[in-house]
């Protein structure tokens, strides 16, 4: 490669959750960046986070919501806990998180900083 060459490496963003925000579903990566509107195939294979408060969503721009980021981390860490089977995480307008387990049990976690 010559000293005047430009090398660019693209790393595609990979969705880790489907976030339901303001009536719309988005594929969101681990850093809280919305990638695109959720596709049906993705909605069926990724975990869901339901956010009940208004968050500004712009594709490619990180959402700096502590509860959403904490929910993403919970999903990331859940596979290492054999007894944790999360169906969906709900974040209320005050930012309180609730785990909705596959067996119907709800676990109120509170604020992200309480984790």
């Amino acid at each position: 490669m010559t000293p005047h060459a430009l090398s660019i490496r693209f790393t595609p963003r990979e969705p880790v959750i489907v976030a339901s925000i303001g009536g719309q579903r988005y594929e969101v990566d681990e850093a809280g960046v919305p990638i695109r509107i959720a596709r049906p195939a993705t909605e069926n294979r990724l975990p869901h986070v339901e956010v009940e408060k208004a968050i500004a969503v712009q594709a490619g721009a990180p959402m700096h919501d502590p509860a959403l980021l904490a929910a993403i981390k919970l999903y990331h860490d859940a596979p290492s806990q054999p007894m944790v089977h999360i169906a969906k995480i709900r974040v209320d307008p005050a930012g309180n998180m609730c785990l909705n387990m596959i067996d119907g049990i709800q676990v109120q976690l509170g604020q992200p900083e309480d984790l």
Side-chain angles (χ1 to χ4, degrees):
M1 187 177 303
T2 67
H4 301 291
L6 175 64
S7 175
I8 299 174
R9 178 178 295 186
F10 291 98
T11 305
R13 293 191 175 277
E14 293 293 326
V16 295
I17 65 159
V18 171
S20 179
I21 303 168
Q24 184 65 53
R25 295 178 188 262
Y26 302 93
E27 295 176 17
V28 179
D29 74 1
E30 196 165 331
V33 176
I35 300 168
R36 64 185 147 256
I37 301 295
R39 301 165 292 174
T42 305
E43 286 198 63
N44 294 332
R45 71 173 174 82
L46 290 178
H48 287 250
V49 175
E50 182 180 309
V51 180
E52 296 179 350
K53 63 181 179 174
I55 298 177
V57 178
Q58 181 180 344
M63 294 181 283
H64 299 289
D65 182 74
L68 177 65
L69 296 173
I72 292 169
K73 182 170 176 17
L74 281 170
Y75 272 123
H76 182 267
D77 294 344
S80 66
Q81 305 297 323
M83 299 299 290
V84 177
H85 301 287
I86 304 169
K88 174 176 70 174
I89 297 175
R90 186 177 49 81
V91 179
D92 73 12
N96 295 306
M97 297 186 309
C98 176
L99 299 183
N100 294 281
M101 308 308 275
I102 289 174
D103 59 6
I105 294 174
Q106 293 185 346
V107 179
Q108 302 290 335
L109 293 179
Q111 296 286 316
E113 59 270 8
D114 295 336
L115 293 178

